[in-house]
C-alpha cells in the first residue's frame, strides 16, 4: 500500500500523554537532525475532531506532589520543575499556587502521609478552610507544594512545540488496523485510520482508555488496563470560597472540592470500572455528592452549573506503562496514567523521549514503569 503520511514516529492519541511526548521527541529530533529518518519527523493522530477531548479536558487541574506512590511523587516534582522552566517563555503562567488539604480521621490521614505533606491541627485546617464543619474531621495534612494547573494552556504549549519542531497533527481519524511490513532491519508499521494510511517504523500508543484495544490492533499483549469513571461538577454556592483557598480532599476518598472562580468544583472521587467510552455523569451520583458536600461544609450548594465524567485508566499495579513493548518491535507504550496524567506528564514525556531516541536514560522510573515489569 502507498502511505498518505510517512513519518519516523506515529503517536496515537492527542491527550496530554501523546501531545507532551510528541512535542518532546519532535523538539529533540529537530535539535539533532541525524536522529531523523527519511520519512520526516513526528505525526500525532487523534480519533476525535479536537485534541484533548477525552480525559485530558475533564481533570481537576491540580498537581499534588504528596499524591501517589514515591515514583509518582518524584515524577510530579520533576514535571513541576520542567513546567516552571518552560513558563519563562510563555505569555502567561501555567501554574498557580493552590495548596492541598487532606482531612479525615487520624488513621486515614496518616495512611496518606508523605514527605510533601505535614500534619496540621484541626484548628489550623479550619483557618484554611473555614467552610468545613468541625465535626466532619479530626485530623488533617497540608501539602503546600501543590499547585493549580491551567491544563488548556499546557496542552496548547505542547501543541505549539510539536508544530514548531516540524511535527504534524491529524485529527478526526481513528487508527483501526495495522500491519508490520518490510525486510528485517527496515521494518515499519502501516496503519489505517478512517481512510488515511500512515507509515512509520515506530508507533507510540498513547490512546488513554483505548490503549489496550490499540495494542491488540498492533498484535501486542494488553497491559490489563482498566478505565475507571470519575465525575466532577461545578456548582453554585451561597458562600463562595476564598480564591486562594486550598483544594480539600477527604482521606477516605468520598469527595474533594476546590474554588472555581465564584463557584466550586466538587467530585465524589469515585473509582468505578468502565468500558472505554465517552463517559457521562449520572444525575443521581451528582445529587448524592451535593448532599454529602453540603453535610460536611457550610458553603451551601444551590445548584449544579455543569457536570462531567472522565476515565482514569490504570494498569493492575497503578503505575503507568512507559517503554517498548517486550515482544512487538516498534511498538511503544505510554498508557495507564490514572489520576496522575497531568502531574507526571512532562517528566514521563522526558523519560519516554529518551528511551525512544535510545539516549542514555538514567532515571529510576524507567524500570518501575517498564511495560515488561513483573506485576503482583
Ligand atoms: C475527574 C478527573 C479529575 C482528574 N484530575 C486530575 C488532576 O487534578 N491532576 C492530574 O494530574 N490528573 C488528573 N486526572 C487524570 C488525567 O486527566 C489523566 O491521567 C490524563 O488526562 C490522561 O491523559 P491521556 O492522554 O492518557 O488520555 P486521554 O486524554 O483520554 O487521551 C487519549 C486519546 O487517545 C485517543 N484515541 C484512542 N484510541 C485512538 C485510536 N485508535 N486512534 C486515534 N486516537 C485514539 C482518544 O480519542 C483520546 O483523545 C483526572 C481525571 C479525571 C477524570
Amino acid at each position: 500500500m502507498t502511505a498518505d503520511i510517512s513519518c519516523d514516529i506515529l503517536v496515537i492519541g492527542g491527550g496530554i500523554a501523546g501531545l507532551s511526548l510528541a512535542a518532546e521527541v519532535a523538539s529533540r529530533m529537530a535539535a539533532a537532525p541525524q536522529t531523523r529518518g527519511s520519512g520526516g519527523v513526528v505525526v500525532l493522530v487523534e480519533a476525535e475532531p479536537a485534541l484533548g477531548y477525552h480525559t485530558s479536558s475533564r481533570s481537576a487541574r491540580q498537581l499534588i506532589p504528596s499524591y501517589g506512590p514515591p515514583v509518582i511523587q518524584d515524577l510530579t516534582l520533576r514535571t513541576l520543575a520542567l513546567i516552571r522552566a518552560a513558563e519563562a517563555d510563555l505569555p502567561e503562567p501555567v501554574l498557580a499556587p493552590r495548596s492541598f488539604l487532606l482531612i479525615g480521621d487520624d488513621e486515614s490521614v496518616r495512611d496518606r502521609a508523605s514527605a510533601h505533606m505535614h500534619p496540621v491541627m484541626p484548628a489550623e485546617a479550619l483557618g484554611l478552610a473555614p467552610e468545613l464543619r468541625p465535626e466532619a474531621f479530626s485530623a488533617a495534612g497540608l501539602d503546600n507544594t501543590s499547585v493549580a494547573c491551567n491544563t488548556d494552556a499546557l496542552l496548547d504549549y505542547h501543541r505549539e512545540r510539536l508544530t514548531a519542531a516540524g511535527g504534524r497533527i491529524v485529527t478526526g481519524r481513528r487508527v483501526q488496523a495495522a500491519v508490520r511490513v518490510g525486510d528485517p532491519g527496515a521494518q515499519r508499521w502501516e496503519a489505517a485510520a478512517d481512510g488515511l494510511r500512515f507509515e512509520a517504523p515506530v508507533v507510540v500508543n498513547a490512546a488513554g482508555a483505548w490503549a489496550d484495544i490499540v495494542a491488540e490492533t498492533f498484535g501486542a499483549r494488553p497491559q490489563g488496563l482498566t478505565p475507571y469513571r470519575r465525575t466532577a461538577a461545578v456548582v453554585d454556592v451561597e458562600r463562595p470560597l476564598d480564591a486562594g483557598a486550598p483544594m480539600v480532599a477527604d482521606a477516605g476518598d468520598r469527595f474533594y472540592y476546590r474554588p472555581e472562580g465564584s463557584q466550586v468544583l466538587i467530585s465524589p472521587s469515585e473509582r468505578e470500572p468502565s468500558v472505554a467510552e465517552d463517559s457521562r455523569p449520572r444525575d443521581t451520583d451528582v445529587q448524592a455528592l451535593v448532599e454529602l458536600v453540603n453535610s460536611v461544609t457550610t458553603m451551601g450548594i444551590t445548584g449544579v452549573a455543569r457536570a462531567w465524567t472522565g476515565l482514569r485508566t490504570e494498569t493492575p499495579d497503578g503505575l503507568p506503562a512507559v517503554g517498548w513493548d517486550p515482544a512487538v518491535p516498534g511498538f511503544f507504550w505510554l498508557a495507564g496514567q490514572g489520576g496522575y496524567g497531568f502531574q507526571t506528564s512532562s517528566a514521563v514525556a522526558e523519560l519516554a523521549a529518551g528511551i525512544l531516541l535510545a539516549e542514555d536514560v538514567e532515571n529510576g522510573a524507567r524500570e518501575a514503569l517498564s511495560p515488561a515489569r513483573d506485576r503482583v
Side-chain angles (χ1 to χ4, degrees):
M1 109 182 163
T2 314
D4 299 301
I5 297 178
S6 291
C7 53
D8 296 316
I9 299 178
L10 178 66
V11 179
I12 301 175
I16 183 62
L19 258 183
S20 55
L21 179 272
E24 180 64 22
V25 79
S27 301
R28 292 186 189 201
M29 289 164 88
Q34 69 276 11
T35 58
R36 289 160 73 147
S38 54
V41 232
V42 177
V43 173
L44 181 147
V45 58
E46 164 56 47
E48 301 291 345
L51 297 173
Y53 172 84
H54 284 287
T55 311
S56 295
S57 59
R58 306 179 193 200
S59 86
R61 307 194 296 279
Q62 183 83 10
L63 315 186
I64 311 167
S66 57
Y67 183 41
V71 62
I72 294 294
Q73 296 185 11
D74 290 348
L75 291 166
T76 302
L77 289 180
R78 178 67 184 152
T79 297
L80 286 175
L82 290 167
I83 296 176
R84 287 198 171 109
E87 274 181 327
D89 299 323
L90 294 174
E92 53 175 337
V94 171
L95 305 178
R98 189 196 290 130
S99 58
F100 177 79
L101 181 66
L102 189 71
I103 58 161
D105 57 25
D106 280 335
E107 196 185 343
S108 59
V109 171
R110 206 181 321 114
D111 280 353
R112 301 268 293 265
S114 88
H116 313 291
M117 178 175 283
H118 63 276
V120 291
M121 298 304 287
E124 191 183 338
L126 286 170
L128 295 164
E131 71 285 351
L132 278 170
R133 296 185 195 274
E135 65 275 17
F137 68 104
S138 55
L142 183 65
D143 179 350
N144 267 327
T145 61
S146 179
V147 291
C149 178
N150 181 339
T151 53
D152 291 341
L154 189 60
L155 291 168
D156 277 352
Y157 161 67
H158 292 305
R159 183 179 48 72
E160 281 164 20
R161 268 179 86 210
L162 172 58
T163 49
R168 186 170 164 192
I169 295 170
V170 178
T171 54
R173 307 277 180 158
R174 179 175 298 275
V175 174
Q176 281 159 328
V179 48
R180 189 89 172 149
V181 299
D183 299 329
Q187 288 200 320
R188 62 193 188 278
W189 292 108
E190 288 179 352
D194 291 319
L196 210 57
R197 286 165 303 183
F198 296 89
E199 185 182 86
V202 169
V203 160
V204 176
N205 179 11
W210 290 264
D212 268 351
I213 297 168
V214 166
E216 287 182 319
T217 302
F218 285 81
R221 206 168 134 206
Q223 288 282 312
L225 297 166
T226 305
Y228 292 99
R229 286 169 60 85
R230 176 144 305 181
T231 300
V234 169
V235 294
D236 300 315
V237 294
E238 283 166 9
R239 285 169 286 280
L241 308 180
D242 189 89
M247 172 184 265
V248 176
D250 171 45
D253 281 335
R254 292 177 306 148
F255 65 87
Y256 64 75
Y257 65 83
R258 63 157 177 79
E260 171 86 358
S262 61
Q263 299 170 306
V264 179
L265 181 147
I266 61 177
S267 169
S269 300
E270 86 275 39
R271 191 170 172 278
E272 184 188 319
S274 167
V275 295
E277 64 175 3
D278 190 356
S279 52
R280 301 283 159 185
R282 298 183 194 118
D283 288 348
T284 46
D285 293 352
V286 176
Q287 217 35 59
L289 170 65
V290 166
E291 280 164 30
L292 175 61
V293 175
N294 272 340
S295 74
V296 295
T297 73
T298 57
M299 67 176 86
I301 298 172
T302 55
V304 177
R306 57 185 191 280
W308 63 91
T309 299
L311 296 175
R312 302 170 6 134
T313 300
E314 297 181 17
T315 64
D317 66 8
L319 295 179
V322 179
W324 295 109
D325 185 88
V328 176
F331 189 74
F332 193 94
W333 286 88
L334 189 63
Q337 287 81 351
Y340 319 116
F342 279 98
Q343 68 180 56
T344 59
S345 55
S346 298
V348 166
E350 180 182 60
L351 170 68
I355 301 172
L356 270 169
L357 298 178
E359 294 170 359
D360 280 339
V361 178
E362 288 203 20
N363 189 322
R366 181 177 184 157
E367 289 306 314
L369 306 192
S370 165
R373 67 187 180 266
D374 286 334
R375 294 205 180 89
V376 281

